[in-house]
Amino acid sequence: MAKIIKPLSPMQVKNARPQEKIYRLFDGGGLYLEVTPLGSKFWRMKFRQANGKENRLSFGKYPDVSLEQARQRRDEARKLKAAGIDPSENRKALKEADLERAANTFEKIARQWHTNRLETWQPSTAKDIINRLEKDIFPEIGALPISAITHKQLIDTLRKIEERGANEIAKRLKANCARIFSYAIQHGYTDKNIAADLTDVLKPVRKRHFAAITTDELPNFLKIMERNEARLYMSTRIALRLILLLFLRTSELIETPWSEINLETGEWIIPWNRMKRGKLAMNPDKTDHHVCMSRQALELLRELHTLTGRNQWLFPNQRDPKKPMSNGAILMAIRRMGYQNQMTGHGFRALAMSTIKERLGYRHEVVDRQLAHAQKNKIDSAYDRAMFLDERKKMMQEWADYLDGLSSTKIV
């Protein structure tokens, strides 16, 4: 007959004094208090494994672990054993899982996500994303296990970014954090996406269009350009005039090699891989862009050829002619003309779109093709981007003549 063990009382546990040797006070069910000669008291439990060997579990030190808590842990272990689970092996598995969770920090998983997505981004995009994470996110929550990060911790991190006025950056980082948590869920590192839950936490970001002057402000802009009181280089002035005449994206103009232009026929075709949509890592648009030019634009290019025709680029960099002009050169020229925060290189596109439609009466889709905008639906995108060539050539000549009419002298 099994020996009946009388359960311990809290007072017995508290008053247990050290002796010359280690001794035990049993509570039943395998649980006992082990008292050392130095007076330390430890909760332990003995049980038999499936192979019949005796094993022990440690439940912690008294009084950190009370009698009641020790009994709860004993009962949990007995339930596992009754279910055929070895309590000691289960504890090892839980410890390993805890260590793995601790090792799977936000920074570690974020870098895995970033590496996994590299092929879908342009190098500049990939660099910007990781730089932002390293600057604003990793120092705050990067060392924390991704499964343990709380809503408050992420909110506090994002609000620090907002406090310096970088609302747009905070919004983008929140979106990337949501993608990182989604990646972590799919790989079993966590079971919740706390970033996706933050719907009304950040301040709303007002969408801003590129600064652009209005049609009514265009005559004065032309006069200032002609007077050149800003003392711009000739090549910079020609670049401004070509953007005005052709309304290309700044990068599409300044990164143009002379090899793309036939000055005899007036034909200019930009290869698809230099266009905005062609640079997409996923499903790039492989349609070359035909730049329809007016007589005035062609004359400007011929004038420019006398200045830079021996170089690879239409607009070589002043410091390093092997490179094209800096993207910021156009913006700096506009600032020197007195139009800071009023006009940008991209603003010429908005100006041309509104003026040609309102003053010259051309259809939106004709101007849109000259702008090389992405089509908004699959049916439109199935058509050749070079559609409306004849109409676009006529439009571009009328646009150049219209600008001549606004100037005291001709654009050329």
Side-chain angles (χ1 to χ4, degrees), residues 68-79:
E68 184 180 357
Q69 290 171 325
R71 286 171 175 167
Q72 288 175 352
R73 296 178 188 184
R74 173 199 61 194
D75 293 344
E76 290 169 2
R78 287 170 64 85
K79 287 178 183 178

Side-chain angles (χ1 to χ4, degrees), residues 90-155:
N90 182 70
R91 175 174 288 188
K92 288 180 184 178
L94 291 175
K95 283 184 177 180
E96 289 175 1
D98 287 341
L99 289 173
E100 185 178 357
R101 278 193 292 271
N104 290 326
T105 63
F106 182 88
E107 180 173 350
K108 176 184 175 181
I109 306 307
R111 291 188 183 279
Q112 285 184 15
W113 166 80
H114 185 267
T115 301
N116 187 60
R117 298 287 299 171
L118 278 177
E119 294 182 0
T120 67
W121 293 322
Q122 290 294 319
S124 59
T125 302
K127 183 178 179 181
D128 181 64
I129 288 172
I130 197 65
N131 284 348
R132 285 295 177 192
L133 289 170
E134 289 174 344
K135 179 181 178 181
D136 293 315
I137 303 297
F138 293 165
E140 302 295 330
I141 60 173
L144 300 177
I146 195 165
S147 61
I149 297 173
T150 65
H151 289 85
K152 185 178 185 305
Q153 287 171 325
L154 182 56
I155 291 170

Side-chain angles (χ1 to χ4, degrees), residues 150-205:
T150 65
H151 289 85
K152 185 178 185 305
Q153 287 171 325
L154 182 56
I155 291 170
D156 290 345
T157 298
L158 295 172
R159 282 186 174 158
K160 280 187 179 181
I161 303 168
E162 279 189 330
E163 286 171 2
R164 67 171 193 259
N167 293 11
E168 180 64 34
I169 292 174
K171 178 184 175 183
R172 292 180 184 178
L173 282 171
K174 172 186 169 292
N176 281 331
C177 285
R179 296 182 183 104
I180 292 166
F181 276 104
S182 176
Y183 173 89
I185 290 172
Q186 294 173 62
H187 288 77
Y189 299 127
T190 186
D191 57 3
K192 57 186 182 297
N193 189 334
I194 63 170
D197 295 340
L198 309 183
T199 54
D200 297 310
V201 172
L202 298 181
K203 297 175 182 176
V205 179

Side-chain angles (χ1 to χ4, degrees), residues 7-8 48 59 71 91 114 143 155-156 170 172 182 192 243 250 263 271 278 285 289 313 318 329 335 339 366 393:
L8 296 171
R48 291 197 178 274
F59 292 153
R71 286 171 175 167
R91 175 174 288 188
H114 185 267
I155 291 170
D156 290 345
R172 292 180 184 178
S182 176
K192 57 186 182 297
I243 289 182
T250 304
L263 292 176
D285 186 336
H289 179 55
W313 311 103
Q318 293 287 340
R335 288 176 179 174
Y339 282 87
V366 179
K393 287 176 182 177

Side-chain angles (χ1 to χ4, degrees), residues 256-273:
T256 298
W258 280 108
S259 59
E260 286 183 8
I261 300 174
N262 188 327
L263 292 176
E264 297 299 321
T265 63
E267 186 178 53
W268 181 356
I269 301 176
I270 301 179
W272 63 268
N273 54 4

